[in-house]
Amino acid sequence: MEEDKIEKIKQGFWPKVKKVAGKVPFLADAIALYYAMLDPSTPLKAKLTIAGALAYFLTPFDAIPDILFGAGYIDDAGVVAAVLAAASMYVKDEHKKKAADFLDSNPEGNLEN
C-alpha cells in the first residue's frame, strides 16, 4: 500500500516539474527530495514522509490554490522546506547535485533529455 503512494508521486512528479520550471524557487529542493525518495538506502518511513510533501506539491487544490499567481506556492514551499529539514539526513549531496544538474540542463522544464 505504501509503495502505491510512491508510485503515484513518480507518475505525476515530472509533469508538474515541467509545468512550474522557472516559476517556483524551491524546485531544486523538491527534485532533491524526489531523488532521495527513490534512493534504495532511504528508509521507508522517510520515503513516505517525502512522498507526502511531494503529493502536497503535486496537488493544485491545497491551502493556497496554485492558480493564485505569486502566492499559490507559498504553502507548498513551506511543506517542502519542513520535510527537507526533517529528512535532511537522507537528502544526500548526490541528490542535490542531480537536482541541480537537471535544472541546469532543463531550465524551462524541457523533459525531452
Side-chain angles (χ1 to χ4, degrees), residues 25-102:
F26 62 90
L27 192 55
D29 292 334
I31 295 171
L33 283 170
Y34 178 80
Y35 285 127
M37 181 187 74
L38 297 181
D39 190 327
S41 69
T42 302
L44 182 59
K45 184 176 179 180
K47 287 182 181 199
L48 293 175
T49 301
I50 292 168
L54 295 179
Y56 191 85
F57 171 59
L58 295 178
T59 305
F61 307 107
D62 46 36
I64 302 174
D66 295 344
I67 59 170
L68 296 176
F69 183 74
Y73 289 102
I74 292 172
D75 57 327
D76 299 74
V79 169
V80 167
V83 171
L84 186 61
S88 63
M89 70 178 63
Y90 304 111
V91 182
K92 302 173 186 169
D93 288 341
E94 68 187 72
H95 303 139
K96 294 174 187 176
K97 180 172 178 0
K98 285 173 80 171
D101 289 348
F102 174 83

Side-chain angles (χ1 to χ4, degrees), residues 99-108 110 113:
D101 289 348
F102 174 83
L103 290 173
D104 287 345
S105 62
N106 300 286
E108 298 301 321
N110 179 2
N113 292 347

